[in-house]
Amino acid sequence: MLVIERIDHPVLAAQWCDKRRARGARIGFVPTMGALHDGHLALVRRAREENDVAVVSIFVNPLQFNDPRDYELYPRDFGADAVLLDVTGAAMAFTGTLAQFFPGSGGDLANVPLRDPGAAAEGLEGERRPGHFAGVATIVARLFELVKPARAYFGEKDFQQTRVVLELARALGGPPIEVCPTLREPSGLAMSSRNARLSPQQRVDALALSRALYAAQSAWQKGERDADALCALLARVAGASPLRIEYAEVRDPERWTAARPRGALQRAQGLLAAYCGDVRLIDTLRLDGAPR
Ligand code: PAF
């Protein structure tokens, strides 16, 4: 018997949240697309620790998939997710359909008014995945409107997404956003729902991403501050594998720019995207000495 409440309509979920808030509960919110792994569960644990209740949304948001095949193949198992969330202590998990989230749309993507995702959506993921961040910003704003959380939790692995969400939350006047560290398997592979689609050999091939990021971090520790040199190193190490590299980049983690920064860097975030077979993976690491 599961203790967690499972709600399959966003409006009912909003009513549940309203009731809890009316009784003074602070809601820690973790938006997800399901296919939960330990990285998500770490967010839920933190949401639970820092608030009175943790609420999780599970919605494979069609607005943010620029590739219909990726949307189709995205792993889905609400039953298994609910069990994991129950064990982790989430109080409520909810889902819904596009038509339920956006009642004016009639379930048609073309009828959902998209939000402008702001300047942090420019470059890298925003450039490779047109419309992706508008889809993310649109659903996240809607989820915030429904849940009205005291705080919301996002994983750092989707680094550019965290910049977009921080900008969105600023524009909306809240909630405070907590960006939580990437969880890795002992091998170094960053946890991701898409890892479920990798073969055993591809899981080994995918280690080239974290290997490249650690090599760049080590170069930084030895004094390398030049963005072009760090990017070349990332591309070289990640590229010495069967992966098809889409980008190997660095950005200033505190000041997002569409283009690579010039001159000597004071801070650096390494960012990689690559295809492993037909699975697109991203990974990121803070290269300078700052925590995480
Ligand atoms: O990171 C994700 O899983 C999604 O982009 C999010 C934030 C749940 C929005 O659909």
Side-chain angles (χ1 to χ4, degrees), residues 7-8 17 21 27 32 35 84 105 122 186 228 239:
I7 300 183
D8 60 9
C17 293
R21 255 184 289 94
I27 297 175
T32 80
L84 289 173
S105 71
E122 283 165 25
D228 291 342

Side-chain angles (χ1 to χ4, degrees), residues 10-273:
V11 172
L12 298 178
Q15 287 169 1
W16 186 98
C17 293
D18 287 344
K19 267 195 211 135
R20 289 300 176 107
R21 255 184 289 94
R23 286 191 237 138
R26 285 163 308 161
I27 297 175
F29 178 45
V30 183
T32 80
M33 298 203 298
L36 303 179
H37 50 69
D38 284 349
H40 294 113
L41 301 182
L43 302 182
V44 175
R45 246 173 250 121
R46 214 172 127 183
R48 208 191 53 193
E49 279 160 21
E50 296 178 0
N51 304 276
D52 299 308
V53 287
V55 163
V56 179
S57 63
I58 298 180
F59 178 55
V60 185
N61 170 31
L63 298 169
Q64 71 188 71
F65 284 83
N66 52 313
D67 174 357
R69 202 175 134 70
D70 190 26
Y71 175 65
E72 218 175 277
L73 294 178
Y74 201 85
R76 294 164 170 87
D77 191 343
F78 192 44
D81 288 341
V83 173
L84 289 173
L85 290 174
D86 188 56
V87 173
T88 313
M92 190 267 274
F94 72 99
T95 188
T97 62
L98 187 73
Q100 291 167 347
F101 276 104
F102 300 98
S105 71
D108 185 343
L109 291 181
N111 295 335
V112 178
L114 293 174
R115 280 194 81 91
D116 177 347
E122 283 165 25
L124 302 194
E125 290 298 293
E127 199 176 310
R128 303 316 189 284
R129 304 184 65 191
H132 168 65
F133 286 126
V136 170
T138 303
I139 190 66
V140 171
R142 178 71 182 128
L143 290 166
F144 287 171
E145 189 175 57
L146 292 160
V147 176
K148 299 186 183 64
R151 286 192 199 84
Y153 296 79
F154 291 81
E156 192 181 47
K157 187 176 83 68
D158 295 295
F159 186 81
Q160 194 176 357
Q161 170 172 282
T162 65
R163 304 302 100 174
V164 169
V165 169
L166 284 163
E167 218 173 272
L168 173 72
R170 251 194 308 273
L172 296 172
I177 304 298
E178 303 295 337
V179 176
C180 307
T182 304
L183 250 66
R184 296 182 183 278
E185 296 185 3
S187 65
L189 182 67
M191 291 188 188
S192 162
S193 303
R194 289 188 173 85
N195 292 351
R197 291 177 50 205
L198 299 175
S199 69
Q201 181 55 49
Q202 285 175 326
R203 291 175 77 85
V204 175
D205 297 343
L207 295 181
L209 294 179
S210 50
R211 198 159 48 237
L213 289 164
Y214 287 124
Q217 192 179 53
S218 152
W220 179 280
Q221 279 158 6
K222 290 182 190 136
E224 184 59 80
R225 295 291 181 273
D226 181 67
D228 291 342
L230 289 165
C231 292
L233 176 63
L234 283 172
R236 184 157 44 76
V237 178
S241 75
L243 301 186
R244 207 155 33 85
I245 309 301
E246 240 189 18
Y247 60 76
E249 279 296 329
V250 296
R251 290 291 180 272
D252 181 335
E254 288 171 23
R255 230 189 108 254
W256 185 263
T257 48
R260 185 183 299 174
R262 303 255 138 242
L265 301 173
Q266 290 181 344
R267 298 168 292 269
Q269 186 81 26
L271 299 135
L272 283 167

